[in-house]
Amino acid sequence: MEIVIMPSAEHVGRFAAERVVRLVARRPQAVLGLATGSSPSAAYSELARRRAKGIDFSRVRGFALDEYVGIPREAPQSYFSVVRTEIVEPLGMDPSLIRVPDGLAVDLEAACAEYDAAIAAAGGIDLQILGIGGNGHIGFNEPTSSLSSRTRPKALAPRTRRDNARFFAAEADVPEYCVTQGLGTILEAAELLLVAQGEDKAEAIARAVEGPLSSFVPASVLQLHPRALVIIDETAASGLRNSDYYRHALGSEADRWV
Ligand code: GLP
């Protein structure tokens, strides 16, 4: 795992976006794994700015990480809507090239298996963007997720429902179930890029990066991946015991590592 500590959340977004831009410049039909949530939103905003400067995302393909079960696609809380309004539209992506797991399928298991098959048919994910939950989840792979799990339905942890209540009128409105790419699915991406900012993520980052590999900290599965880049700001890095050992980057100097 490569850890890059940036001076601010804004730098995290810029650095992550640069990594995506370089991939797309090399491979205009690249397959991106798309995380939602607040963690990658600065990166998406930067990518929208890069689009305005001429980077073309119209042929890029995308697979979202996860979705709630039972929320209509048009509801603003659905990840289908979030992906559309925060990523696809601002980046000028082609909606027909973007998939989000189907949380409304009658047969969720079959829809999840088909999702993994669609990723494989696209040639696999080139770059999977990830956030991290306060309990160490990635996607919606909550603690105790099998480290080799595939895309599947999953129950949300109480903490996740509390954390995500801010997007709903009340905590009781947060769905109890979701569908998520599995940890095994995520590990198959050619490259992983996890972004995190803020004190709230410090413990999860420390456990994922420096703790033992454990299904209780699903993000620790990144330790198994040969090309995993973790980009965090100083506050998200504040729980790391060995931060001197990791690379600190500032502004354009960060380019050396992408
Ligand atoms: C959400 C999403 C994850 C996301 C994580 C952190 O519930 N399912 O994909 O990475 O939890 O969210 P945030 O970045 O908003 O803190």
Side-chain angles (χ1 to χ4, degrees):
M1 236 194 287
E2 183 160 20
I3 319 299
V4 176
I5 301 171
M6 302 297 282
S8 73
E10 195 199 336
H11 285 90
V12 171
R14 284 218 301 267
F15 187 25
E18 178 62 24
R19 188 69 201 77
V20 175
V21 164
R22 289 191 184 193
L23 169 66
V24 172
R26 198 170 73 237
R27 197 163 143 68
Q29 290 171 289
V31 182
L32 292 182
L34 301 169
T36 49
S38 51
S39 308
S41 68
Y44 295 135
S45 302
E46 177 64 18
L47 288 173
R49 283 191 282 277
R50 301 295 290 268
R51 176 198 179 201
K53 290 182 184 160
I55 304 289
D56 179 15
F57 297 100
S58 67
R59 288 193 288 154
V60 172
R61 294 164 290 165
F63 288 89
L65 262 179
D66 47 15
E67 178 59 287
Y68 292 110
V69 165
I71 292 199
R73 287 190 148 185
E74 55 285 357
Q77 295 91 350
S78 81
Y79 286 169
F80 182 89
S81 290
V82 172
V83 165
R84 189 58 64 88
T85 57
E86 293 184 10
I87 308 173
V88 174
E89 286 168 3
L91 271 61
M93 298 173 98
D94 176 349
S96 73
L97 300 179
I98 310 301
R99 292 271 316 254
V100 179
D102 185 356
L104 295 169
V106 178
D107 186 343
L108 285 175
E109 301 270 359
C112 288
E114 193 275 325
Y115 198 72
D116 275 345
I119 293 174
I125 289 171
D126 293 310
L127 177 65
Q128 175 65 61
I129 300 166
L130 296 164
I132 184 170
N135 65 358
H137 74 218
I138 50 174
F140 269 138
N141 292 282
E142 299 286 26
T144 74
S145 287
S146 156
L147 301 182
S148 58
S149 49
R150 311 302 307 172
T151 301
R152 70 209 183 291
K154 192 79 189 139
L156 292 175
R159 173 165 180 181
T160 302
R161 293 188 69 229
R162 265 197 315 277
D163 285 351
N164 288 5
R166 66 191 194 277
F167 300 112
F168 294 82
E171 192 178 321
D173 296 341
V174 182
E176 290 181 53
Y177 298 95
C178 62
V179 282
T180 181
Q181 283 190 37
L183 294 174
T185 316
I186 291 168
L187 282 180
E188 284 170 5
E191 202 173 335
L192 305 180
L193 193 166
L194 185 145
V195 289
Q197 309 91 352
E199 190 89 48
D200 288 353
K201 300 297 170 68
E203 189 192 341
I205 287 291
R207 294 178 72 199
V209 170
E210 295 182 336
L213 178 66
S214 165
S215 65
F216 280 87
V217 186
S220 67
V221 80
L222 266 68
Q223 296 174 23
L224 291 175
H225 197 283
R227 295 185 73 197
L229 180 59
V230 174
I231 311 173
I232 52 181
D233 70 355
E234 294 280 0
T235 52
S238 61
L240 294 170
R241 286 178 302 249
N242 304 295
S243 56
D244 289 351
Y245 180 73
Y246 309 126
R247 289 174 176 163
H248 285 67
L250 182 63
S252 62
E253 278 182 51
D255 288 351
R256 281 190 286 139
W257 295 296
V258 291

